[in-house]
């Protein structure tokens, strides 16, 4: 499958790189992408990254209890503070 210049620029936009016709030889990039298309990937599991990432886990322990009033003091709107919550703008219309 051959790539057009328009498809290449769309691809570059998706992966957040800047490709301009002046800076790159588009034909060589298209040839390179064609070679990638021909690689046999059957049996290979998709992955987000070649490196394994594991987040460190910790116990969920309350270290400073009863901080509601201290946290609500940061609310710039103060509309819901007297009721014990943050007031936020409406994001959905509903009946």
């Amino acid at each position: 499958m051959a790539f057009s210049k328009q498809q290449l620029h769309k691809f570059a936009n998706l992966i957040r790189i800047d490709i301009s016709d002046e800076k790159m030889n588009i034909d060589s990039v298209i040839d390179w992408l064609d070679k990638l298309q021909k690689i046999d990937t059957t049996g290979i599991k998709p992955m987000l990254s070649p490196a394994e990432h594991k987040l460190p886990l910790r116990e969920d322990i309350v270290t400073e209890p009863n901080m509601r009033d201290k946290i609500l003091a940061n609310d710039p709107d103060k509309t819901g503070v007297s009721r014990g919550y943050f007031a936020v703008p409406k994001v959905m219309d509903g009946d």
Side-chain angles (χ1 to χ4, degrees), residues 8 11 20 26 32-33 45 62-63 68-69 73 84-85 95:
L8 180 61
F11 177 70
S20 64
I26 299 298
W32 179 74
L33 288 173
K45 294 180 182 178
V62 177
T63 56
R68 185 183 82 171
D69 294 334
Y85 62 83
D95 296 324

Side-chain angles (χ1 to χ4, degrees), residues 67-78 81 85-86:
M67 294 187 58
R68 185 183 82 171
D69 294 334
K70 197 174 183 182
I71 293 169
L72 287 172
N74 293 312
D75 186 2
D77 188 6
K78 307 288 187 215
V81 172
Y85 62 83
F86 287 103

